[in-house]
Amino acid sequence: MDRIRVGDAVIHRVEEWRGTFMTPQTLFVGYSDEAYAASKPLVAGPYLDGETDAIDARLQSWVVEVGGLRVLIDTGAGNDKTRPGIPLFGNLRTPFLARLAAAGFTPADIDLVICTHLHVDHVGWNTRLDAGEWVPTFPRARYVFPLPDAEYWDPRNRERYPPKIGEEVNAGFFDDSVRPILERGIAELVAGPQDLTAHLRLEPAPGHTPGSQTITVTSRGRRAMFVGDILHHPLQIMNPSWNSIFCEDGARARASRRAVLERAAEDEAIMIPAHFAGDHMVRVVRSSDGFVPAPANP
Ligand SMILES: [Zn+2]
């Protein structure tokens, strides 16, 4: 779905990139053939290549219109970035801003940019290249970043943090997509649960990165929950112990994933992860031994 209403809020999807990315066997830590065979029938089709098992993936952002604000959630890989650790997302020239315009928004329309976490494929459009300088893409926006990630990924803090799992793959993003925002004083660094507005709540869900957070949109009692990379694929709904190889702290990532699934089921929220293909969003329903996905719009 590219546009969905949640109470009075309207959520628009803006796609940056689509393709296949790894397989369940190579992406997930904790993968087993037995668990895969049991859960694959629930998610095959639009989420997995039928012949190769390659994961069908997206880089996509979301514009949420709620309470008079236009909020952009996650900003993809961006154009023109040098990415030696992940050439797939380097030197892109996607029409992302044209697609944003097609959804009805110019960069100046965006009031708030929120990153679910700081990773190379979630921060890219924070900035764009202008005469050799990285400048904010969204000139009026306040940017909201998780403080634990802003400290963890800053190369200037390398001595304070041990070698990171994502060190190589994430090389470069902080200096071209985060620091230019921090240096202009237009970022707010957040830690701990908080209500940003009457309709937007941030809650920590650490593990994938130290600062990973969920963003819950509430309107007229309906909820949508943006969960970033707490899940990369619907297979993790049936297998919440499966981490991605990009999760920094495995034990905390598993605990956060279970807690987020519990809450999505409890609240009957539409859960919107960052990289899902298919409908790009699901509901989470309890089953006899855990959770299963259900259509967002039954
Ligand atoms: Zn991530």
Side-chain angles (χ1 to χ4, degrees):
M1 273 167 281
D2 290 341
R3 189 169 177 275
I4 186 168
R5 188 172 279 276
V6 174
D8 289 337
V10 182
I11 298 171
H12 307 256
R13 190 180 79 94
V14 182
E15 185 168 293
E16 182 186 37
W17 175 91
R18 62 168 63 197
T20 52
F21 189 82
M22 305 182 74
T23 61
Q25 291 84 344
T26 55
L27 179 60
F28 294 122
V29 177
Y31 167 92
S32 78
D33 285 339
E34 194 184 0
Y36 183 45
S39 46
K40 183 178 177 181
L42 293 168
V43 302
Y47 295 101
L48 289 164
D49 183 290
E51 283 179 19
T52 65
D53 275 1
I55 289 172
D56 192 9
R58 300 288 184 272
L59 298 189
Q60 54 204 349
S61 299
W62 308 88
V63 180
V64 182
E65 297 180 278
V66 65
L69 294 179
R70 288 157 167 176
V71 184
L72 180 67
I73 296 179
D74 281 344
T75 61
N79 275 2
D80 304 309
K81 312 267 166 160
T82 302
R83 294 290 179 256
I86 184 158
L88 180 65
F89 297 148
N91 300 306
L92 293 180
R93 291 283 169 84
T94 72
F96 177 79
L97 294 181
R99 292 176 189 158
L100 182 71
F105 308 98
T106 69
D109 290 334
I110 303 299
D111 299 290
L112 205 55
V113 176
I114 311 176
C115 294
T116 57
H117 64 296
L118 303 186
H119 257 169
V120 65
D121 52 335
H122 294 259
V123 300
W125 279 102
N126 289 351
T127 58
R128 63 181 175 82
L129 200 55
D130 180 24
E133 188 188 5
W134 295 109
V135 302
T137 305
F138 307 98
R140 290 179 43 255
R142 184 164 58 108
Y143 287 68
V144 179
F145 301 146
L147 172 66
D149 277 3
E151 294 187 337
Y152 188 74
W153 294 108
D154 186 342
R156 292 176 190 170
N157 294 339
R158 193 166 275 132
E159 284 181 12
R160 271 169 51 200
Y161 297 101
K164 299 177 258 297
I165 284 175
E167 185 89 44
E168 197 179 323
V169 77
N170 285 289
F173 87 71
F174 199 93
D175 287 321
D176 59 39
S177 303
V178 176
R179 199 184 307 286
I181 303 297
L182 299 178
E183 287 180 347
R184 283 171 171 81
I186 55 176
E188 183 178 334
L189 299 179
V190 296
Q194 58 189 282
D195 294 315
L196 272 188
T197 74
H199 304 281
L200 285 172
R201 181 165 177 79
L202 306 181
E203 280 165 294
H208 177 65
T209 64
S212 284
Q213 59 184 352
T214 61
I215 302 156
T216 302
V217 175
T218 305
S219 176
R220 292 188 180 273
R222 305 272 316 277
R223 287 198 176 89
M225 205 173 162
F226 295 86
V227 304
D229 287 357
I230 305 301
L231 299 101
H232 279 80
H233 194 276
L235 284 166
Q236 289 168 290
I237 297 172
M238 280 75 70
N239 301 284
S241 67
W242 291 8
N243 284 330
S244 82
I245 58 168
F246 303 110
C247 292
E248 291 290 323
D249 182 330
R252 293 178 86 195
R254 282 190 289 274
S256 287
R257 189 172 307 108
R258 287 185 190 283
V260 164
L261 290 168
E262 284 283 354
R263 200 146 53 77
E266 185 72 33
D267 292 351
E268 298 179 5
I270 294 172
M271 187 175 72
I272 308 180
H275 300 302
F276 274 27
D279 286 340
H280 315 293
M281 56 187 75
V282 294
R283 288 185 195 271
V284 178
V285 177
R286 287 182 213 281
S287 67
S288 55
D289 58 351
F291 305 99
V292 292
N297 261 348

